Amino acid sequence: MYSRAKARTVSATTIRPCGAADLPALFSIVNDAAQAYKGVIPADCWHEPYMPLEQLKREIGEGIAFWGYESGSTLVGMMGIQDAGRSASSAMPTCRAPSAAKVSARCC
């Protein structure tokens, strides 16, 4: 049975579609998260920044829709979703490091 004594306060969080105004935060998040994999990502795939702004813009132009995870009023995570046709969609969850929810960064 639920006990009110065990209830905890949870900060306000939001998952929402990202727009053009979020581009600087998206750029920062993906490159911050990639730092956790520096040395793991093959040297021939690593560069600074890991994902250049022009590449992020290109991926958005190619149909990747980003959704953001806000904690308070700060965008701290993102997921890029792209329709992969009739069979499936692809997703790329990423969050600011350090975090328990780190995921592998994309290569090359």
Side-chain angles (χ1 to χ4, degrees):
M1 177 149 201
Y2 176 76
S3 169
R4 289 189 183 266
K6 294 180 183 178
R8 296 182 183 170
T9 302
V10 178
S11 63
T13 58
T14 302
I15 297 175
R16 62 170 178 77
C18 294
D22 296 307
L23 195 58
L26 297 173
F27 175 74
S28 176
I29 290 167
V30 74
N31 286 296
D32 186 46
Q35 292 298 315
Y37 298 93
K38 191 172 186 175
V40 176
I41 295 172
D44 62 337
C45 292
W46 184 264
H47 38 82
E48 295 281 347
Y50 182 70
M51 179 180 283
L53 184 57
E54 289 307 314
Q55 181 182 352
L56 179 59
K57 289 178 180 178
R58 187 171 47 253
E59 291 194 9
I60 291 169
E62 291 172 357
I64 295 179
F66 286 99
W67 285 73
Y69 172 78
E70 283 185 343
S71 180
S73 61
T74 303
L75 196 61
V76 295
M78 61 192 256
M79 176 163 308
I81 303 171
Q82 183 174 29
D83 184 357
R86 296 173 56 189
S87 61
S89 295
S90 62
M92 179 184 67
T94 308
C95 56
R96 292 190 187 277
S99 171
K102 292 178 191 167
V103 295
S104 63
R106 295 171 59 177
C107 180
C108 300

